[in-house]
Amino acid sequence: MLPRPARADDFTTIVAWPQDVIELRNLFPRARWPAELDALAAHLAEHSDGLVLADHRDQPVAYASFYNVQHSGRVWIGHLIIHPAWRRQGLGARLLREMEELAARQFSATEIATICFADNVGARVFYQRQGFRAEGWETRLDHREEPIRVLRLVRGLPVGKAACETAANQAK
């Protein structure tokens, strides 16, 4: 799998991956089922720095994006999703590592964060296995304007080669 920036033509493929109303809500909290694919694709296009893992035909099989980017601080990952046929093969962890490297290199990020719905146990376990810690609960509104609890998860980024290179380039 090769990482590459997401392109506009990827988004109509990606928004078709949620298999049911819960997966759609987890990806797009304000979306209604069945998904309005054009509106969701336009929403993804508005996010900065979307990244895909692409297969040998250059078709996306995993996607995530950044939002609420703070240079030299925290960046947020959103919309992390894997194509249904490619799940449970380690692509989520691989994509997360690619996003972390991009965050450190492009934004000099020191930590990465995301949210997870209270009932999305699989995602909470995934993020905890990746070294994220719970930061606290908050409430968001779903597509029916009803409150739903989400857990903020955070992980510090190691000061590695990418971060050091970024700092050296900024000093020049």
Side-chain angles (χ1 to χ4, degrees):
M1 296 298 131
L2 295 175
R4 66 165 171 77
R7 301 185 301 244
D9 61 331
D10 293 329
F11 297 133
T12 54
T13 301
I14 294 164
V15 297
W17 294 347
Q19 300 293 290
D20 57 35
V21 67
I22 299 299
E23 279 190 20
L24 181 64
R25 189 230 33 216
N26 290 343
L27 189 61
F28 299 102
R30 309 281 292 169
R32 297 180 187 281
W33 184 265
E36 297 171 7
L37 298 182
D38 291 338
L40 296 179
H43 173 78
L44 288 183
E46 294 171 0
H47 280 74
S48 64
D49 303 297
L51 188 70
V52 300
L53 295 179
D55 67 9
H56 68 282
R57 298 168 312 186
D58 198 35
Q59 295 300 305
V61 297
Y63 172 79
S65 64
F66 291 121
Y67 67 99
N68 292 342
V69 172
Q70 299 173 12
H71 288 269
S72 301
R74 178 179 286 185
V75 297
W76 290 80
I77 289 183
H79 301 106
L80 193 150
I81 187 169
I82 311 300
H83 185 287
W86 290 87
R87 293 177 183 169
R88 307 246 183 263
Q89 299 182 39
L91 293 179
R94 164 88 189 279
L95 180 58
L96 189 56
R97 283 191 308 273
E98 295 288 345
M99 293 295 285
E100 289 171 347
E101 289 176 16
L102 183 60
R105 186 175 60 249
Q106 188 165 339
F107 305 116
S108 301
T110 57
E111 60 183 8
I112 199 157
T114 193
I115 61 164
C116 184
F117 289 93
D119 62 353
N120 193 347
V121 176
R124 286 196 341 242
V125 168
F126 166 77
Y127 284 113
Q128 289 170 341
R129 285 184 181 154
Q130 304 308 310
F132 283 72
R133 63 176 168 72
E135 185 178 68
W137 293 94
E138 61 185 72
T139 302
R140 300 278 175 101
L141 297 177
D142 69 9
H143 68 280
R144 297 175 306 237
E145 301 294 323
E146 293 180 9
I148 188 160
R149 290 184 52 133
V150 296
L151 181 62
R152 285 185 316 277
L153 298 160
V154 178
R155 179 171 169 252
L157 294 178
V159 178
K161 183 179 176 185
C164 291
E165 287 174 359
T166 300
N169 288 337
Q170 289 175 343
K172 289 181 182 178

